Amino acid sequence: MDINGTDINAALAHFEQRLQWEIDAADLHANPGAYAIVDARTPEVFAAGHVPGAINLPHRTITAGTVPFPKDAVVVTYCDGIGCNASTKAAVKLSRLGYQVKEMIGGLDWWRRDGLPVHGAEATAAAGIACGC
């Protein structure tokens, strides 16, 4: 423990564990080829705007037969953002199927806030389509 009574080792373990299961938009953008990127929202919302290189795999459709990448892929799931939990639902299903999964914190909302490129019909996305969970 340090002078303030904080257990430094516990804090370190906590933050290292978070990084094992989460990724931010900047880190994903810097190394997209290292991951299979899954947009867990509906096809309509995916078409309106998505992370470049992402595949659309709505969380409700995930089964062993619908996942198009190998088991050794490191998968990043995302959805609309903080008010949407489609990425978490997809991460659970993919983890149950044996994939190593990270969730992109902040989803597409924080991706856009970082000024990163989005593929799709931006005008439709700006028109107020719901999160598509």
Side-chain angles (χ1 to χ4, degrees), residues 16-23 34-38 67 69-77 87 90-104:
E16 286 177 338
Q17 183 177 26
R18 285 189 61 193
L19 289 174
Q20 182 178 357
W21 310 119
E22 297 174 345
I23 189 168
Y35 305 100
I37 306 169
V38 170
V67 181
F69 33 83
K71 286 278 188 171
D72 63 348
V74 178
V75 181
V76 172
T77 62
S87 62
V92 167
K93 288 181 178 183
L94 290 164
S95 293
R96 284 185 178 147
L97 292 172
Y99 290 93
Q100 179 183 346
V101 184
K102 291 180 175 252
E103 188 174 20
M104 185 172 74

Side-chain angles (χ1 to χ4, degrees), residues 1-11:
M1 289 195 202
D2 76 359
I3 197 164
N4 296 321
T6 302
D7 184 343
I8 301 291
N9 291 328

Side-chain angles (χ1 to χ4, degrees), residues 3-125:
I3 197 164
N4 296 321
T6 302
D7 184 343
I8 301 291
N9 291 328
L12 181 59
H14 167 78
F15 293 117
E16 286 177 338
Q17 183 177 26
R18 285 189 61 193
L19 289 174
Q20 182 178 357
W21 310 119
E22 297 174 345
I23 189 168
D24 66 19
D27 287 344
L28 179 59
H29 183 260
N31 199 10
Y35 305 100
I37 306 169
V38 170
D39 185 314
R41 303 171 303 152
T42 63
E44 298 80 16
V45 179
F46 175 81
H50 58 271
V51 170
I55 63 158
N56 185 222
L57 193 57
H59 70 89
R60 288 182 175 92
T61 68
I62 296 174
T63 66
T66 62
V67 181
F69 33 83
K71 286 278 188 171
D72 63 348
V74 178
V75 181
V76 172
T77 62
Y78 76 89
C79 57
D80 192 54
I82 247 176
C84 177
N85 66 358
S87 62
T88 304
K89 291 174 183 177
V92 167
K93 288 181 178 183
L94 290 164
S95 293
R96 284 185 178 147
L97 292 172
Y99 290 93
Q100 179 183 346
V101 184
K102 291 180 175 252
E103 188 174 20
M104 185 172 74
I105 56 175
L108 190 59
D109 179 32
W110 287 9
W111 180 273
R112 284 186 170 128
R113 288 179 191 216
D114 279 353
L116 300 172
V118 176
H119 287 178
E122 286 296 303
T124 305

